[in-house]
Amino acid sequence: MDNAATLSLWDDDGTSLLPNAPPIVGKTAIKAFLTKVTAGLRSAHMQAFEFHCHDAVAYGNIAAEWCDEHQVVPFGADRQPFDGRGPMLLVLHRDQDGRWRLQREMWQPADAAN
């Protein structure tokens, strides 16, 4: 849960599209979202994480891939663990420094994907 490291993966104008939520647009908004989420997860830790990506394609400075993810996050004795899985779509942009950064992210829980 290193928000600074996570934020460094994003384009300045990146957009995160999460289920049942308005788009989170730009690093400032993504930082605020990460700060809010991690503040409520002090006792949480990542127990398991699987991330398998497929069919990566690049067109100049834009690339895309879709991924299957699964994560298990225990919160402590007073809450059920989060056991989430689902498909993701990632669109990346190669910046002027040559680094690939997230431009768009979309995640959908597996139960909503069927």
Side-chain angles (χ1 to χ4, degrees):
M1 293 196 300
D2 184 340
N3 289 351
T6 300
L7 200 59
S8 74
L9 301 173
W10 283 90
D11 254 355
D12 289 339
D13 62 348
T15 301
S16 180
L17 302 168
L18 300 177
N20 304 313
I24 305 167
V25 181
K27 274 190 169 181
T28 300
I30 293 168
K31 179 180 180 180
F33 172 79
L34 292 172
T35 299
K36 180 180 176 181
V37 168
T38 56
L41 301 177
R42 300 274 185 234
S43 64
H45 68 280
M46 185 72 68
Q47 181 178 19
F49 183 76
E50 297 174 40
F51 199 68
H52 304 283
C53 295
H54 317 274
D55 302 325
V57 293
Y59 304 97
N61 289 329
I62 299 292
E65 61 188 345
W66 68 272
C67 308
D68 294 307
E69 71 86 27
H70 177 223
Q71 55 185 300
V72 178
V73 181
F75 296 106
D78 58 336
R79 267 174 83 183
Q80 289 290 333
F82 173 77
D83 186 350
R85 64 178 72 235
M88 295 184 77
L89 176 64
L90 304 175
V91 178
L92 299 103
H93 172 251
R94 184 173 32 216
D95 210 346
Q96 293 177 350
D97 64 6
R99 289 187 58 201
W100 289 96
R101 291 187 174 82
L102 286 165
Q103 188 176 61
R104 303 286 184 272
E105 164 200 59
M106 184 177 73
W107 178 77
Q108 183 172 330
D111 58 350
N114 296 325

